Amino acid sequence: MRGSEAVRPSSAGRDRRRDVIRPPIDHTISEMTLSEKIGQMTQVSNESITPAEVSDHAIGSVLSGGNGNPEPNTPEVWSDMVGSYAEAATRTRLGVPLLYGVDAVHGHSNVGGATVFPHNIGLGAAGDDELVLRIGEATAAEMLATGVGWAFAPTIAVPQDIRWGRTYEGYGRDPSLVSAMGAALITGLQRSEPGRPRALACAKHFVGDGATSWGTAPRFDFVDWWDGWGDGWQIDQGDARISEVELRSIHLRPYIAAIQAGVMTVMASYNSWNGAKLHAHRGLLTDVLKGELGFAGFVVSDWMGVDQIDPSYGTGVATAINAGIDMVMVPDEYRRFIAAMTEAVTTGLIPMSRIDDAVRRILRAKTAAGLFADGLERPPLEVIGSADHRALAAEAVRRSAVLLKNDGALPIAPVVDSLRIAGEAADDIGLQCGGWTVGWQGGTGRTTSGTTLLEGLQALGHADVAFEPAGRFVDAARADLGIVCIAERPYAEGPGDCAAPDASEADRKVFAKMRRDCEKLVLVIYSGRPLAVADLIEQADAVVAAWLPGSEAGALADVLTGRFPFEAHTSQPWPGSLEDLGQPEAPPLYPTGHGLHTAQVAMTAEQSPAGAARTAVER
Ligand code: GLC
């Protein structure tokens, strides 16, 4: 394959290449040296390799992990960074284009100013695959505008224990729901449009990541990333101690739907199944996924997932590749990986046929992404955080909010004599977005652009709403109506494992103060999972589970005021107490599928900017 002259995409997003003739994949493989083949199987973090080194080693893929943002973190700088790696790949002997991957798990959420959609647990509550498909399309457009062609999404885990720090990355407890939502996101992300590159999705984490048991998270003494995380890493990456029937009927099912939707990549899971690491599991990675299910794309390892297989790194590498891993997310010590691979192939530990199969799968996916095509036009940078995408995110926020309880406090009337709102989360973009947002673990404060619940209420005419994060209002008189917004601190993966998902002490104090000071009290919860707050739910007059709504949480004001109806249903059971957690037989406070419906409230023209006009009925 001859190299092509790829110029850095201009801000208008045009990415021109000189016309070149591309031979078929097998001919390309026949031309490749062993080091070029190994290069295609190597994925390196942008924090550990320069563009020049990408050229030197013919590296096939670079990723930005959760913290892999350029500084400043702007779409323009992202486009330049990704473009520099893409350009470097064209300067290799064969010029095989580079595939750049990110965790665009709820929008292109690493990038400052990108649209951040609700996390999957909220989309599962909305339960609308057409909405999720549109979110996939919008996410792909924002990714491609920066030159990023590969999203490590969707997570199609089926979380069974809400103490898991990745519960919110799953659409819900029902494998049919997860299958439908995962397939929809893949279809949206990978939608091809003439003249435009195509993004690739990644179904993850194969298989059984949501089935692990509490307390089984591994502690490999030869891999130290567990320390200093508090009570984290208890269930994440643990052991799924379940039968094959349960594995197939619950956790494998979404992969069948993902493959039918045409997913081109799958990420192997850190977890084990009955003590056997998935990254080393030939039976599941090759015999089931590629053989029985006919998956024709490629399997990528997880971050340092290969390192966990064996105290001997070389043994782990050979085991993983022979089990069916096609590309390794090294992601840092790539020279060590290349050396281990070279040793394993030259000594016959890994047969060349396995290498060729892996490279063929990778080149097939790169072809499907349009990377070898010429003259494709990327979306312009202006799509990132565009009004249309933010409107879509606002729709998703409204559609994912679950009304758990309403004793008449909702909808909020257009005019309220004294309306108060408390809880720092009511005006904190970081808390409303959660993990995997700008940073791996997320953050607090104005971490990116968007609208908060407070701003949403103010925009709907409640400009006089009094906001005090701690609930300490100067006016000693009781308020007619109070809203208190509580939130989990942001987290991602094992650091989010929690034995007792509950409201924080600080939030409980704010709630108690507001309960004393307000006639009617509405509780709004930002969380990556149901929380054991039955006592607060009991005391509140209305309760809304908003999950992790993303950058456009201001749209919650639309449903709180009745401009739009509540229609969502919780996709996980809501525990009655902390003792219920991990006890599948314990009766929940609210079962999966719970959610009160309301309808749009009749409004006069001046009251309802949205122009909604229907009579309110409680169904
Ligand atoms: C992480 C996650 C995986 C993510 C990858 C790259 O450890 O397990 O979901 O895609 O690393 O950030």
Side-chain angles (χ1 to χ4, degrees):
M1 176 179 298
R2 292 195 305 279
S4 64
E5 191 54 45
V7 294
R8 180 173 301 180
S10 68
S11 60
R14 289 200 67 75
D15 179 0
R16 299 180 188 290
R17 294 192 177 106
R18 280 190 297 107
D19 283 343
V20 288
I21 307 299
R22 300 281 177 209
I25 287 173
D26 280 343
H27 175 76
T28 302
I29 292 173
S30 67
E31 283 192 316
M32 291 173 102
T33 64
L34 175 60
S35 65
E36 287 165 338
K37 293 177 182 177
I38 291 172
Q40 286 302 308
M41 298 171 70
T42 307
Q43 182 181 60
V44 188
S45 161
N46 68 317
E47 298 178 285
S48 297
I49 195 166
T50 65
E53 290 161 340
V54 162
S55 299
D56 295 345
H57 298 275
I59 299 297
S61 180
V62 173
L63 83 148
S64 281
N67 292 325
N69 305 330
E71 277 308 322
N73 182 4
T74 66
E76 293 74 13
V77 174
W78 266 90
S79 178
D80 286 347
M81 173 186 74
V82 176
S84 65
Y85 286 111
E87 201 178 26
T90 65
R91 289 199 302 272
T92 55
R93 185 176 74 91
L94 295 176
V96 177
L98 180 106
L99 189 56
Y100 202 101
V102 294
D103 289 283
V105 294
H106 62 146
H108 196 7
S109 52
N110 280 42
V111 178
T115 311
V116 182
F117 294 96
H119 268 298
N120 288 351
I121 192 169
L123 299 181
D128 180 339
D129 51 358
E130 190 272 336
L131 172 70
V132 171
L133 188 146
R134 285 186 286 139
I135 288 172
E137 291 175 334
T139 301
E142 298 201 15
M143 286 165 50
L144 292 168
T146 58
V148 173
W150 187 14
F152 304 133
T155 295
I156 51 176
V158 189
Q160 301 297 303
D161 186 330
I162 61 169
R163 293 174 293 181
W164 185 33
R166 307 196 78 162
T167 297
Y168 67 81
E169 295 185 60
Y171 292 103
R173 179 68 66 93
D174 173 2
S176 304
L177 173 76
V178 173
S179 299
M181 298 302 112
L185 189 82
I186 290 160
T187 304
L189 273 174
Q190 294 191 160
R191 189 173 64 82
S192 62
E193 200 175 290
R196 198 186 86 165
R198 186 179 173 207
L200 297 183
C202 181
K204 70 183 188 181
H205 311 80
F206 186 86
V207 64
D209 49 352
T212 55
S213 301
W214 183 263
T216 63
R219 285 294 184 274
F220 304 102
D221 53 10
F222 53 92
V223 176
D224 72 350
W225 65 14
W226 318 107
D227 308 328
W229 290 109
D231 68 355
W233 304 111
Q234 296 298 326
I235 184 171
D236 187 36
Q237 307 189 17
D239 192 11
R241 295 171 175 170
I242 56 175
S243 68
E244 180 169 353
V245 167
E246 194 173 339
L247 183 77
R248 284 180 172 273
S249 61
I250 297 177
H251 305 282
L252 193 65
R253 261 174 68 186
Y255 286 90
I256 297 169
I259 292 166
Q260 285 168 350
V263 72
M264 287 305 293
T265 77
V266 166
M267 186 180 292
S269 188
Y270 287 122
N271 68 269
S272 300
W273 178 42
N274 296 326
K277 289 290 290 178
L278 255 294
H279 272 68
H281 209 295
R282 182 184 171 82
L284 288 171
L285 289 172
T286 296
D287 300 343
V288 172
L289 178 62
K290 296 178 178 178
E292 182 187 326
L293 302 187
F295 174 60
F298 72 86
V299 176
V300 63
S301 80
D302 205 335
W303 184 282
M304 288 179 71
V306 167
D307 301 50
Q308 294 181 6
I309 293 173
D310 193 284
S312 149
Y313 181 69
T315 303
V317 166
T319 303
I321 301 299
N322 286 333
I325 301 270
D326 300 304
M327 180 186 285
V328 171
M329 185 186 294
V330 179
D332 301 314
E333 298 178 55
Y334 65 92
R335 294 181 180 83
R336 180 178 67 150
F337 171 70
I338 291 169
M341 284 285 284
T342 307
E343 161 94 12
V345 176
T346 47
T347 60
L349 209 48
I350 301 177
M352 184 59 81
S353 58
R354 175 74 272 271
I355 298 292
D356 289 348
D357 172 54
V359 174
R360 184 173 299 109
R361 289 170 176 271
I362 292 166
L363 295 184
R364 192 182 292 145
K366 289 187 172 184
T367 303
L371 290 176
F372 292 110
D374 304 302
L376 297 182
E377 182 160 342
R378 289 166 27 178
L381 285 174
E382 289 70 31
V383 299
I384 295 171
S386 67
D388 286 352
H389 289 177
R390 290 188 189 279
L392 173 59
E395 177 188 351
V397 168
R398 292 190 291 264
R399 309 268 302 277
S400 59
V402 179
L403 182 58
L404 296 177
K405 171 185 178 183
N406 185 23
D407 291 348
L410 293 177
I412 298 172
V415 178
V416 179
D417 285 347
S418 58
L419 173 61
R420 290 178 181 170
I421 186 166
E424 61 175 336
D427 195 35
D428 187 306
I429 298 255
L431 289 175
Q432 67 195 50
C433 286
W436 296 107
T437 309
V438 179
W440 176 45
Q441 294 293 315
T444 57
R446 287 259 157 200
T447 54
T448 187
S449 47
T451 54
T452 65
L453 170 56
L454 174 67
E455 291 164 339
L457 285 168
Q458 290 167 334
L460 288 182
H462 293 289
D464 56 345
V465 59
F467 171 55
E468 274 298 326
R472 290 196 208 95
F473 294 87
V474 174
D475 180 352
R478 277 173 72 80
D480 295 330
L481 178 63
I483 303 169
V484 57
C485 191
I486 68 173
E488 282 195 292
R489 316 303 294 168
Y491 53 82
E493 301 191 55
D497 289 353
C498 177
D502 193 349
S504 67
E505 274 318 304
D507 278 348
R508 284 181 166 275
K509 281 201 182 86
V510 177
F511 179 90
K513 180 123 185 39
M514 291 291 280
R515 180 62 285 179
R516 285 194 299 274
D517 296 351
C518 303
E519 282 303 317
K520 291 276 186 185
L521 185 62
V522 178
L523 171 62
V524 176
I525 303 171
Y526 290 165
S527 63
R529 53 194 152 202
L531 302 179
V533 291
D535 57 330
L536 304 188
I537 293 172
E538 170 65 28
Q539 296 172 60
D541 298 296
V543 183
V544 175
W547 315 110
L548 295 171
S551 59
E552 308 314 307
L556 288 170
D558 293 333
V559 279
L560 290 173
T561 57
R563 282 168 173 75
F564 287 85
F566 281 102
E567 295 174 326
H569 310 93
T570 176
S571 64
Q572 288 282 356
W574 199 283
S577 69
L578 289 173
E579 291 66 43
D580 293 353
L581 297 173
Q583 308 297 328
E585 292 70 40
L589 178 65
Y590 300 114
T592 301
H594 174 75
L596 301 182
H597 283 199
T598 58
Q600 278 172 313
V601 175
M603 303 233 172
T604 59
E606 59 276 1
Q607 282 170 341
S608 161
R614 270 179 53 193
T615 308
V617 288
E618 279 281 322
R619 273 184 276 153

